[in-house]
Amino acid sequence: MPADYHTHTPLCHHASGEPEKYVDAALAAGLREFGISDHAPVGHGYFDDWRMLYDDLPRYFDWIQRARDHAAGRLPIRAGLECDWFPDCDAWIEHLRGLQPWDYLIGSVHYLGDWDFDNPRHLSRWDQRNVDEVWSLYWKEYAAMAESQLFEILGHPDLVKKFCHRPDGDLGRFYEPAIEAIAVSGAAIELNTAGWHKPCAEAYPCLEFLELARAAGIPLVISSDAHAPGEAARDFSRAIELAKAAGYRETVLLDRGVKTVELLE
Ligand code: ZN
Ligand code: FE
Ligand code: FE
Ligand code: ZN
């Protein structure tokens, strides 16, 4: 099984479990490596209620250490963060990067302006928006995130479909400019299995996006986005089949930012 690099901790206020339980689940699934990437703080103070606070970072480092202690050499434990992309977030991300020898930072577009569009509590805001415009804005931000070169991994590429909002017609017009920007950036994308458990009932990204990514030579990781130990490595067999259907033969591993290739079995 490939690595699972996208997993959360209770410090983000909407995940559960102990580090030992996540590691046990990762070992049981036969994962190659396990990575922790909780929702990073945005600024030094409070910023919405679904991420860790800056002042909790020492507790986060302890959590990672507990996972390492429990793994005790049986499984490499990687350290990362899932960071929110905002225009002009560069200085903040560089600050976070300097806090630890991270193995990777994941960049995710969860916000369009002040709207965390994937938050079910703000679902009604979709009603006031034109789906085509939201998609255009989302993919413009996704490409800008790639161009920023701030992240080793770009998270859940087509998250904007989470609640089944999709423009009419061929969606390739949205994907292609983003694919181009990602390919130039050298970042990896993730095949995030959590989408199968959301209203869209489809992995992030869809097969068409994965095929374009493969053709453009974009590296891939497979991620569960686990918010509970039982979700670690969830649907990885299904994800491997999807990756292979798109033409992928390998995923990448990340050790202090250095990529190596792991063949898909
Ligand atoms: Zn989360
Ligand atoms: Fe996310
Ligand atoms: Fe996540
Ligand atoms: Zn995520």
Side-chain angles (χ1 to χ4, degrees):
M1 281 285 158
D4 185 354
Y5 286 150
H6 188 152
T7 69
H8 292 276
T9 85
L11 292 169
C12 70
H13 315 289
H14 64 278
S16 60
E18 298 298 321
E20 294 80 8
K21 298 290 183 214
Y22 282 88
V23 170
D24 287 344
L27 285 165
L31 288 181
R32 178 77 174 72
E33 298 188 353
F34 182 74
I36 302 161
S37 57
D38 209 3
H39 295 285
V42 175
H44 291 276
Y46 174 87
F47 191 98
D48 286 341
D49 61 358
W50 54 267
R51 61 174 46 71
M52 71 172 103
L53 292 166
Y54 189 82
D55 290 345
D56 278 339
L57 277 164
R59 297 171 64 194
Y60 184 54
F61 303 146
D62 288 347
W63 212 90
I64 295 167
Q65 189 55 48
R66 274 177 62 192
R68 287 192 169 131
D69 290 346
H70 187 68
R74 294 175 294 166
L75 175 72
I77 305 295
R78 302 298 178 203
L81 288 170
E82 181 180 15
C83 303
D84 287 276
W85 164 260
F86 292 98
D88 303 316
C89 67
D90 304 50
W92 181 250
I93 302 301
E94 293 300 348
H95 171 71
L96 293 174
R97 186 174 285 284
L99 297 175
Q100 275 283 299
W102 305 108
D103 292 300
Y104 54 84
L105 298 180
I106 302 175
S108 291
V109 176
H110 297 123
Y111 286 90
L112 296 172
D114 68 349
W115 176 34
D116 44 348
F117 62 87
D118 73 319
N119 188 338
R121 277 176 294 161
H122 302 150
L123 191 50
S124 66
R125 283 182 70 172
W126 274 97
D127 301 340
Q128 297 137 33
R129 302 290 294 250
N130 173 290
V131 173
D132 243 87
E133 277 168 28
V134 174
W135 269 59
S136 295
L137 199 56
Y138 175 83
W139 288 105
K140 190 175 133 264
E141 290 303 331
Y142 207 90
M145 174 171 76
E147 282 158 8
S148 77
Q149 304 260 15
L150 290 168
F151 310 103
E152 282 79 11
I153 299 172
L154 305 177
H156 38 60
D158 58 359
L159 178 67
V160 67
K161 75 182 175 191
K162 178 173 178 178
F163 301 114
C164 309
H165 301 91
R166 286 188 181 82
D168 294 329
D170 178 11
L171 299 176
R173 67 187 191 276
F174 295 100
Y175 304 151
E176 277 155 17
I179 291 284
E180 211 173 295
I182 299 164
V184 170
S185 78
I189 57 163
E190 63 174 17
L191 197 182
N192 185 313
T193 64
W196 274 314
H197 303 273
K198 302 296 192 240
C200 61
E202 197 179 86
Y204 309 120
C206 64
L207 176 62
E208 182 187 354
F209 188 96
L210 275 178
E211 286 171 339
L212 292 169
R214 173 67 194 92
I218 295 170
L220 185 73
V221 297
I222 295 177
S223 307
S224 68
D225 212 339
H227 286 68
E231 294 170 7
R234 182 165 59 167
D235 295 331
F236 266 36
S237 298
R238 190 177 176 189
I240 289 167
E241 292 317 307
L242 179 60
K244 285 181 175 171
Y248 276 99
R249 294 293 169 264
E250 61 197 37
T251 55
V252 291
L253 300 174
L254 279 155
D255 180 351
R256 302 268 171 115
V258 178
K259 280 194 201 81
T260 54
V261 161
E262 170 86 352
L263 289 180
L264 277 174
E265 281 158 34

